[in-house]
Amino acid sequence: IKTLRITDEEIRERMVFENLEIVEQLTRDGNSCLMSLGHCGNWEWVPSIILHLPSQIKLGMVYKRLSSKDFDDFFLRLRSRFGPRAIEMKSIYRTIVQNRNEGVTMLIGFLNDQRPRPSANEFWVKFLNQDTVVQTGMERIAAQMGFAVTYLDIKKVKRGFYKCTVSAITADASKEDEHVVSEIYTRKLEQTIIENPAYYLWTHNKWSRCKPDNAYK
């Protein structure tokens, strides 16, 4: 709720981003970059990263449309507060291709820790000592487009103040073996949670499904 009225100056103080030069290096040739993160700390303030990026890098964020139009409109207004472009999950490929054809360099945020729908291409990993099926959509998009991929570690410093640290996963996902990007992301998210388990959103019901005998591993 505070996002609706917080000033740019105040959120700069409350949401500190480190290693943003990694994003600048990975996009120096005009290529776009995906930023993966989990529901840790204050992920709702991550769009304020746009206040720290060079003007030539446009910020996008992937979201899933809510069933309630009123709540969907509210959260879109909330998450667009600092100027990022909200990209509905169903139109992500079309939007990315359009921006690439227009020569637009983007940093696109993916909250990538939700439980995916059942599919034939499921990827299972050990996550927090549990067999866990993970989303691979971000990796597939990055590999198809040849995008760079980064991870954002969010830590609470004190009440209302957070430190967000960028690290690189790959400079070009198309050059990585299948599932490498998803595996590295999972290990980085796992470490973030282990260090501060109280600040992770535990309500996604990620372990409601059992790993089938024929699962990819």
Side-chain angles (χ1 to χ4, degrees), residues 2-19:
K2 187 175 178 64
T3 309
L4 294 173
R5 57 184 177 82
I6 195 170
T7 64
D8 290 358
E9 291 74 19
E10 185 178 1
I11 204 163
R12 282 176 183 270
E13 295 177 1
R14 290 178 173 271
M15 202 72 170
V16 175
F17 293 90
E18 296 186 341
N19 296 346

Side-chain angles (χ1 to χ4, degrees), residues 122-142:
E122 292 180 342
F123 177 53
W124 289 79
V125 298
K126 281 289 185 181
F127 176 62
L128 298 173
N129 298 317
Q130 305 292 323
D131 287 324
T132 308
V133 61
V134 300
Q135 290 187 339
T136 58
M138 177 199 66
E139 177 182 342
R140 293 198 304 271
I141 291 172

Side-chain angles (χ1 to χ4, degrees), residues 159-182:
R159 184 176 181 180
F161 289 81
Y162 302 86
K163 181 178 73 172
C164 308
T165 306
V166 179
S167 60
I169 292 180
T170 180
D172 184 347
S174 67
K175 297 180 179 179
E176 305 291 348
D177 291 338
E178 187 179 18
H179 300 313
V180 166
V181 170
S182 295

